[in-house]
Every structure is written in C-alpha cells, then in structure tokens.
Amino acid sequence: MTFDFDLFVIGAGSGGVRAARMASQAGARVVVAEEYRVGGTCVIRGCVPKKLFVYASHFSEAFEDAAGFGWTVQKPEFNWQTLLANKDTEIDRLNGIYIRNLELAGVELIEDRAVVSDANTVHLVNAGRDITAERILIATGAAPFVPDIPGAEHAITSNEAFHLDNLPRHVTVIGGGYIAVEFAGIFHGLGVETSLLYRGEQVLRGFDDDLRYGLAEELLKKGMDLRVHTSVTAIEKTGEGLRAVLEDGSSLDTGLIMYATGRNPNTKGLGLEAVGVDLDRKGAVVVDAYSKTSVDNIYAVGDVTDRVNLTPVAIREGAAFVETVYNDNPVAVDHSGIATAVFSQPELGTVGLTEAQARDQHGEVDIYKSSFRPMKNTLSGRDEKMIMKVIVEPSSDKVIGCHIMGPDAGEMAQVLGIALKMGATKAQFDETIAVHPTAAEELVTMKERWTPPAAAAAE
Ligand code: NDP
C-alpha cells in the first residue's frame, strides 16, 4: 500500500518538531500539522515567555539591592506594555526559526487542525481533506485544567497571562505547582499585590520538604499573601473586579484570578479512541517504553502521554522515537533522575530523590544540608537565605539527591544532573576542590551529617 507520507506528526511543539526534523533527515517523507503556532507551549506560551517575565520581575529587587553597593537609583518605573511587546517580538523570532528549521529539514508544514480518522488517515478539519501516512505521531501537548466551580469562566490561566492588557493592583493565583509559584513570583516582582492560594499542606508537593517550606518562608517574608489549606468554591464578579469565595466562608477581593491547577493532555476530539488508541483516566495516550500506542503504527510523545511533562523530555522522546523507528536503533528514554528547576523567587533546582523518597526506597540515608545567607546579601542587606541539601545512600556512598534553593539553583541542578547520572559518590564530591567564592562550593564542602532533631535529642 502506498501513502501520501511516511510520517504524519500532529502538533508542532517541542516533541513533534524534533521528531519531524529528525525523521525527515533520516529519509522519511514527513508532514506536520499545527492548529495554533509552531513552537508549541514551551516557545509560544510557556517556558520561554515565562522566563522572560521572570527576568523582568527580578529587577525590582535588583534595584533595591543596588543601594548597598553604592548605587543611587531613581524610583524605577515599570511598563507592562513594553515588556509584552518585547516578549512578543522574541516569540515571533523563535516561531520563525522553528518554521525555517522545519522547512530546511524538508518537512511539509500544514497550518490546520488534524484529526485521526483511521490508523493511516488524518483529516484536516479546515481544509476538509484527508492525508494518508504509514505512521502517525501524536504530539499535541496539554492544556490548562480549570476546576468546574461557579464563576470559573471569570478566571484566566497562564495562556491568557501572557497577553493581559494591564496588570491589576491585586492578583490571586490558585494552585501550588510549578506554574502557580512561578507566576505568583512574576506578579509580585512586577509590583502586583499577590495572593497564592493552595489547597494542601504546602506548595510544590513532590519536591523536597526543605525546599517547599524554605520557599514558603521566603515568599511570606517578601510580603506575598501565601495561604495553604485554602480552596476557592466560587468566583463572583464585583463592580471593581472579582471576588474569590473561599471554602471557610470568607472571601477575597482581587483584580484577577489565575488558575494554575495542572494541565490535561490534548486528546479531546482527536479521534484516537475510535481507531483503537488507548487513553488513560486523564485522557493521556498510553504508550510503551518506545512511545508506541496500542495501535502498531501510531506513536505519541511529550505532554500528551503524561509521563514527565517537561520540554527536554518531550524532545528526547521525539528523538528516541526516530532512532527506534527510522534508524533501526531502539531507544527507550530513561525517565529517572531528571534534573528540574522551578523559576520561583527564590529559584529551586533539584535532581534525584527527595529525602522522603530516599528514606522510602533506601531506609537509612545520610543527609547533608546547609542554609546560609548568600554573599551578595551581606551588602544588599536582603534577608533571603539559600538552601543546599545533598542526600547520600550510605552503603554505596552514592549521591542520590541534590536540592537547592537560591540564585541560579536551576543552573546548578543541570550540572549536578551530570554528576548524579554518572553515579558520583559523596567522597568524589568531597575530593572536588571548591570554586571560591561561590554558593555552589557549599555542595563540595559539607562535611557534617545532619541529624534530625529527635535523633539528636536522643543521643
Ligand atoms: P502541577 O501538576 O505541577 O500542579 C498543579 C497544582 O494544582 C498542584 O499544586 C495541585 O494541588 C493543584 N490542583 C490540582 N487540582 C486542583 C483543584 N481542583 N483545586 C485546587 N488546586 C488544584 O501543574 P502546573 O499547572 O503547575 O504545571 C503543569 C506542568 O507543566 C508541571 O507538572 C510541569 O511538568 C510543567 N512545568 C514545568 C516548568 C518548569 O520546568 N520550570 C514550569 C511550568 C510548568 P495538589 O498538590 O494538592 O495536587
């Protein structure tokens, strides 16, 4: 049987674009369909514009800190429209690069919504025509999930936060994951009074407790209105803005409510179930270690599979798919030990197991940790501490987790990720001569094992 193409990729985000380019370079005839903008969530309304906003929001503290180093700074003024326009220019530039890279790789790009109509056929919704392909790759990503409460339609998500006409005086962010803490930090840094409402015990569930509680302490010190054990049951429109009705019966008046309560895989209306592709309870495409779905010639990579929902993971999955299918070199992506950063303020960087996970998996573990004032804060006078934590498996001496809160924590996590992947031991950390003066030197100079207070009292 002959097909129009060898590979039809649905979705031109990080995973889809990588797979399309590599498959084309491997000799396949590839077409990719995108219904919004080439680049996907990360480039268009995720990692990239978010990081630009994080940079912007850091300046308020930088201006304050400058005084301790002898600088006199006029009262700084911030212009949201300038930031938006510059951000849009940069996103347009990246979008153009992505399109050009697809063209250069010989991939055909179709700007349309694509729906799977049988195992080898994709229907283009706006063009109203069908295209056949030997294989189909689903790389449609995920979209924000907003709980179904009365008035939820008045709230925004991170999608809209990138295009607000104006910044309100007060904003309320709901959620406690990456997006919630990152955007709460952005708004607060840009001078907006910020409430961050989280339903559970502490934000960033799943991260190491020292970082979670350390971050919460710093957010409160900065004056952010962080409330845990707080749920919103309804949203009402008021004359001036919005009112969040809270579970305890109280309410919070605010100018803007942003939900950051997780994301759902984009599989609705894609026609997948009808052709026999299994989806899980959340609607994510179920795949094997090689990203193959329950239908032999249909694959899926990235957030739509809800494995580890991070851009570099989607890219790696896209590349592994091509290696496996087109280069006769089966590659299963290793989803363990992935370093990650939360661009909260202060920033978090983490790789490997949390203390709780390490105790769970290994029983006894050795903990080394340090909490200190970074050097810059001596002259700036900023009351913000840094946290470093190293977790060691005693019998092998292997470092199995590193957790950092403070400036450049994400940069450090990337480098530590290499050391942990190589199976570095605490002795090797200790043998490494420090780079002085840096904060990171703390990672190779921590000698004292930390003893939990209860155990210390018993000794
Ligand atoms: P997360 O899954 O990280 O967090 C969702 C948060 O919303 C949790 O705190 C969760 O609480 C809370 N929540 C879920 N449902 C409800 C509800 N019905 N009512 C109230 N709160 C609720 O999702 P995000 O949206 O923050 O981010 C999505 C993904 O995007 C992340 O998992 C991450 O993989 C990726 N990302 C990565 C970034 C980075 O690398 N820096 C930046 C941004 C996103 P609970 O803990 O109780 O479940």
Side-chain angles (χ1 to χ4, degrees), residues 41 46-47 50 142 144-149 158 174-183 197-207 212 230-232 259-264 282 303 306-312 339-344 348:
T41 299
C47 332
K50 177 277 308 286
F145 153 76
V146 175
D148 184 18
I149 60 159
S158 56
I174 304 170
Y178 283 81
I179 298 180
V181 295
E182 290 182 345
F183 267 90
L197 312 184
Y198 175 56
R199 66 179 177 183
E201 174 82 25
Q202 190 51 270
V203 293
L204 292 175
R205 183 167 61 81
F207 283 75
R212 298 169 70 203
T230 302
S231 290
V232 176
Y259 268 98
T261 41
R263 297 171 64 85
N264 283 340
K282 210 176 151 189
D303 288 5
D306 198 24
R307 285 176 278 182
V308 178
N309 300 327
L310 297 169
T311 299
T340 182
V342 183
F343 296 101
S344 49
L348 307 183

Side-chain angles (χ1 to χ4, degrees), residues 60-73 379-382:
S60 50
E61 288 190 350
F63 288 127
E64 288 170 12
D65 291 350
F69 294 90
W71 290 90
T72 304
V73 183
L379 294 203
S380 72
R382 180 162 301 285

Side-chain angles (χ1 to χ4, degrees), residues 150 237 281:
K237 249 184 141 73
R281 225 167 25 92

Side-chain angles (χ1 to χ4, degrees), residues 39-59:
T41 299
C42 178
V43 174
I44 305 298
R45 46 192 180 191
C47 332
V48 175
K50 177 277 308 286
K51 187 85 188 271
L52 295 174
F53 281 8
V54 170
Y55 282 127
S57 63
H58 269 294
F59 281 97

